[in-house]
Amino acid sequence: MTTPHAPSADDIRAVSPALARYTSENLTADVWARPGLAVRDRCLVTVAALIARSQTMIQRHCIENALDHGVTPAELSEIVTHLAFYTGWGSAMAAVAPLKAVFEERGVGNAALPPASPALLPLDEAAEARRAAAVEANLGEVAPGVVKYTTELLFNDLWLRPGLVPRDRSLTTISALAATGQVAQITFHLNRAMDNGLSKEEASEVFTHLAFYVGWPAVMSALPVVKEVFAARG
Amino acid sequence: MTTPHAPSADDIRAVSPALARYTSENLTADVWARPGLAVRDRCLVTVAALIARSQTMIQRHCIENALDHGVTPAELSEIVTHLAFYTGWGSAMAAVAPLKAVFEERGVGNAALPPASPALLPLDEAAEARRAAAVEANLGEVAPGVVKYTTELLFNDLWLRPGLVPRDRSLTTISALAATGQVAQITFHLNRAMDNGLSKEEASEVFTHLAFYVGWPAVMSALPVVKEVFAARG
Amino acid sequence: MTTPHAPSADDIRAVSPALARYTSENLTADVWARPGLAVRDRCLVTVAALIARSQTMIQRHCIENALDHGVTPAELSEIVTHLAFYTGWGSAMAAVAPLKAVFEERGVGNAALPPASPALLPLDEAAEARRAAAVEANLGEVAPGVVKYTTELLFNDLWLRPGLVPRDRSLTTISALAATGQVAQITFHLNRAMDNGLSKEEASEVFTHLAFYVGWPAVMSALPVVKEVFAARG
């Protein structure tokens, strides 16, 4: 397995002094320091966006940065697992090498990782029944396999794993949706994120942060949906 | 040329015991074994999705798996060529190294590959005339170059190459469309796939399989289109 | 930093004689030679599409090709910087290694690159006031951070950097939008490109060229927007 390293400041400067300046003065010193979203949360958002896009080049650096700012190995382990379902197995597999390299470097062993089959968080059975009924009515005949796994693997298993709290699982999900241009799914997941405790100010700041990591157009396409969600919640 | 290897089960376990479990118990032992879509077809779908996304990390493993389950070297050769047009030259070029490595490993020589210019399958001239007229009317003034190459290279050449039967070419195409979020093109190509012999049950199962390889949101965005196609075909 | 090389013609032939033929006879000898868009512009479009998609495999080759056809090191430096904002930091970071490798190979030093903070081009204050007011009215409450950086970093800084003329900056942007499926943003940026001097014939040819580098479906999804822009401009 290869584990590419991020370009250094000197590497960046060798191709673009301007990009080096934007990186240090604007992205690192300004955006990352903005109030409204904790640095730890910015790490979750960034790692999720990079894994979602299979951008392995700077994953290792961002994983190290996440560990330095309070994201635990257990949480990183859950994020990769979560994104296997939300951005595809290939992107999760591509993240294994960088994450394994950092875990080895820092002596993170299996005892620090969530077990394969932990005791799950309690299920909100009424909300889940409503969700399952809506999806079954809409897609039950078209794709019974998708409906079955959505219930069994996603909402009755993955989302109930305790290694990543629901609010952070939502943060991971909406970052991945923005990163992959899946704007239509943002309505459901941003509402869920806010139900799970993400404030409006934090949500707004997530998209400000993401503008730099997934590019302006992807965020500009997502913001009308964010606006609708904010308006509907009052 | 580099040819990365997929992470092993131990590598996966070292970052996420849960992901290792989902991979072996749910993806490999359950999803891949579902009736409704042959393992050979699942290999086509998976390879197409990974090439479409330039996810080289596990391409080599999936190519080996495809050869082990009845996909021929000639078909893999055609899939890469087909995806050059449907997902861009860059993704095809990224697939050359993994495919070449496997071909060398298994002693697949040029004699096993389709020639550059084979005798083509017969063209359905009436259907092609309708397609060409519709595209010309819609886009002839906007992008005459696109219209010209769509006719000459795609529908009068690529699609008529005998090394991959039309039904499998369609399977490759719809997998790539789901993988790249090109939902608007699924209507035409899913209809074509079903005209080319893909059953409704197989089509449904393709999207169930893809949920794991392109992620839930990409499939959830595609399914409303699939539902419409199924409904329109009765 | 790793700098993968593009597959050679022999590598391509070893997996697909057909793909080798399409590459040499159709893409290189035909598409690249079409009138309507200069080879230099085709280089800008291709490099932008590959960086936008983090397709590092053939970036090095395309960067060399760009330098051979009149794109300057300074322009390439600006393109990478521009795309950090338009396709995300990760894709710019992935382009650093290939670009640095080519610059070293050709002895391109920092003196040939645009300074971090050059004297900027004059701002069209009336147009910028209209743009800023429209974005503020639409998104000011939802994402004040995005609105602030859009004004400060993008339209009052990045777009005014003299190292890449506005018309070429627009060409870079619309190529990146097509490459990443951000169709909704094409209306604004294609109009801007044409305001900045891109002719209708050139714009049409950009999308013909892109069909090969971002795939047919991505271009087919973009062309209805292109058609609307052309129609609205008369």
Side-chain angles (χ1 to χ4, degrees):
Chain A
M1 294 194 297
T2 53
T3 55
H5 280 79
S8 68
D10 279 346
D11 292 332
I12 301 171
R13 205 170 295 114
V15 306
S16 172
L19 183 56
R21 173 174 72 82
Y22 287 126
T23 303
S24 63
E25 290 182 18
N26 301 103
L27 185 50
T28 308
D30 181 6
V31 176
W32 277 83
R34 286 170 63 88
L37 190 67
V39 171
R40 178 195 167 277
D41 291 341
R42 293 180 186 273
C43 287
L44 290 183
V45 166
T46 308
V47 167
L50 295 174
I51 294 177
R53 291 191 164 190
S54 303
Q55 292 181 323
T56 51
M57 179 59 70
I58 54 174
Q59 282 182 17
R60 185 166 172 168
H61 170 75
C62 287
I63 289 165
E64 290 170 335
N65 195 43
L67 289 170
D68 291 341
H69 288 92
V71 181
T72 66
E75 288 168 334
L76 288 166
S77 176
E78 289 292 324
I79 287 170
V80 172
T81 306
H82 191 84
L83 292 176
F85 290 94
Y86 278 90
T87 63
W89 237 253
S91 55
M93 290 299 117
V96 166
L99 192 52
K100 182 162 180 270
V102 176
F103 281 0
E104 283 174 359
E105 211 173 71
R106 304 210 174 187
V108 174
N110 249 40
L113 304 182
S117 302
L120 298 176
L121 299 175
L123 178 66
D124 178 342
E125 297 197 5
E128 170 57 12
R130 281 193 304 274
R131 186 210 57 75
V135 172
E136 172 64 34
N138 188 27
L139 299 174
E141 289 201 19
V142 178
V146 176
V147 172
K148 168 185 140 83
Y149 290 121
T150 303
T151 297
E152 290 178 11
L153 290 183
L154 267 56
F155 289 96
N156 287 272
D157 184 349
L158 184 71
W159 277 90
L160 304 179
R161 294 179 56 83
L164 189 67
V165 300
R167 180 249 191 211
D168 292 345
R169 216 169 267 284
S170 284
L171 205 51
T172 302
T173 309
I174 57 176
S175 302
L177 292 173
T180 56
Q182 294 295 342
V183 169
Q185 318 292 323
I186 288 179
T187 305
F188 175 81
H189 282 291
L190 181 54
N191 270 305
R192 190 174 169 93
M194 296 177 80
D195 291 344
N196 285 337
L198 192 77
S199 74
K200 187 177 158 182
E201 188 190 9
E202 287 172 325
S204 171
E205 198 60 25
V206 164
F207 288 93
T208 303
H209 190 89
L210 281 171
F212 291 82
Y213 286 96
V214 305
W216 247 255
V219 162
M220 283 298 185
S221 295
L223 286 178
V225 179
V226 176
K227 187 179 182 179
E228 280 175 18
V229 171
F230 284 179
R233 297 178 72 94
Chain B
M1 293 194 297
T2 53
T3 55
H5 281 78
S8 68
D10 279 346
D11 292 333
I12 301 172
R13 206 171 294 114
V15 306
S16 171
L19 183 55
R21 173 173 73 81
Y22 287 126
T23 302
S24 63
E25 291 181 18
N26 301 104
L27 185 51
T28 308
D30 182 6
V31 176
W32 276 82
R34 285 170 64 88
L37 190 68
V39 171
R40 178 194 166 277
D41 291 342
R42 293 179 186 276
C43 287
L44 290 183
V45 167
T46 309
V47 167
L50 296 173
I51 294 177
R53 291 190 163 189
S54 304
Q55 291 181 324
T56 51
M57 179 58 72
I58 55 173
Q59 282 181 16
R60 186 167 173 166
H61 171 75
C62 287
I63 289 165
E64 291 171 335
N65 196 40
L67 289 171
D68 291 342
H69 289 91
V71 181
T72 66
E75 288 168 335
L76 288 165
S77 176
E78 289 293 324
I79 288 170
V80 172
T81 306
H82 192 84
L83 292 175
F85 290 95
Y86 278 89
T87 62
W89 237 252
S91 55
M93 289 300 116
V96 165
L99 191 53
K100 182 162 179 269
V102 176
F103 281 0
E104 283 175 359
E105 212 174 70
R106 303 209 174 187
V108 174
N110 250 39
L113 304 182
S117 303
L120 298 176
L121 299 174
L123 178 66
D124 178 341
E125 297 196 7
E128 170 57 11
R130 282 194 301 276
R131 186 208 58 75
V135 172
E136 172 64 34
N138 188 27
L139 300 175
E141 289 201 19
V142 177
V146 176
V147 171
K148 169 185 139 86
Y149 290 121
T150 303
T151 296
E152 290 178 11
L153 290 183
L154 267 56
F155 288 98
N156 288 271
D157 185 349
L158 184 72
W159 277 90
L160 305 181
R161 294 179 57 83
L164 189 67
V165 300
R167 181 252 193 208
D168 292 346
R169 216 169 266 284
S170 284
L171 206 50
T172 303
T173 309
I174 57 176
S175 302
L177 291 173
T180 56
Q182 292 296 343
V183 169
Q185 318 292 323
I186 287 180
T187 305
F188 176 80
H189 282 291
L190 181 55
N191 271 304
R192 190 173 169 94
M194 296 177 80
D195 292 344
N196 285 336
L198 192 77
S199 74
K200 187 177 158 181
E201 187 190 10
E202 287 172 326
S204 172
E205 198 61 26
V206 164
F207 287 93
T208 302
H209 190 89
L210 281 171
F212 292 81
Y213 286 96
V214 305
W216 245 255
V219 161
M220 282 299 186
S221 295
L223 286 178
V225 179
V226 176
K227 187 179 182 179
E228 281 175 17
V229 171
F230 285 179
R233 296 178 71 96
Chain C
M1 293 193 297
T2 54
T3 55
H5 281 79
S8 68
D10 280 346
D11 292 333
I12 301 171
R13 206 171 295 114
V15 307
S16 172
L19 183 55
R21 173 173 74 81
Y22 287 126
T23 302
S24 63
E25 289 182 21
N26 301 104
L27 185 50
T28 308
D30 182 6
V31 176
W32 277 83
R34 285 170 64 87
L37 190 68
V39 171
R40 178 194 166 278
D41 290 342
R42 292 180 186 275
C43 287
L44 290 183
V45 166
T46 309
V47 167
L50 295 174
I51 294 176
R53 289 189 165 191
S54 304
Q55 292 182 323
T56 51
M57 178 59 69
I58 55 173
Q59 282 182 17
R60 186 167 172 167
H61 170 75
C62 286
I63 289 165
E64 291 170 336
N65 195 42
L67 289 170
D68 291 341
H69 288 91
V71 181
T72 66
E75 287 168 335
L76 288 166
S77 177
E78 289 292 324
I79 288 170
V80 172
T81 306
H82 192 83
L83 292 176
F85 291 94
Y86 278 89
T87 63
W89 236 253
S91 55
M93 289 299 116
V96 165
L99 192 53
K100 182 162 180 271
V102 176
F103 281 0
E104 282 174 359
E105 212 173 68
R106 304 211 173 186
V108 174
N110 249 40
L113 303 182
S117 302
L120 298 176
L121 299 174
L123 178 66
D124 178 341
E125 297 197 5
E128 170 57 11
R130 281 193 303 275
R131 186 209 59 74
V135 172
E136 172 64 33
N138 188 27
L139 300 174
E141 289 200 19
V142 177
V146 176
V147 171
K148 167 185 141 82
Y149 290 120
T150 303
T151 297
E152 290 178 10
L153 290 183
L154 267 56
F155 289 97
N156 288 271
D157 184 350
L158 183 71
W159 277 90
L160 304 180
R161 294 179 57 83
L164 189 67
V165 300
R167 180 251 192 209
D168 293 346
R169 215 170 267 285
S170 284
L171 206 51
T172 302
T173 309
I174 56 176
S175 302
L177 292 173
T180 56
Q182 293 294 344
V183 169
Q185 318 292 324
I186 288 180
T187 304
F188 175 80
H189 282 291
L190 181 55
N191 271 305
R192 189 173 170 94
M194 296 178 80
D195 291 345
N196 284 338
L198 192 75
S199 74
K200 187 178 158 182
E201 189 190 7
E202 287 172 325
S204 172
E205 199 60 26
V206 164
F207 287 94
T208 302
H209 190 90
L210 281 171
F212 291 82
Y213 286 96
V214 306
W216 247 255
V219 161
M220 282 299 185
S221 295
L223 286 179
V225 179
V226 176
K227 187 178 182 178
E228 281 175 17
V229 171
F230 285 179
R233 297 177 72 94

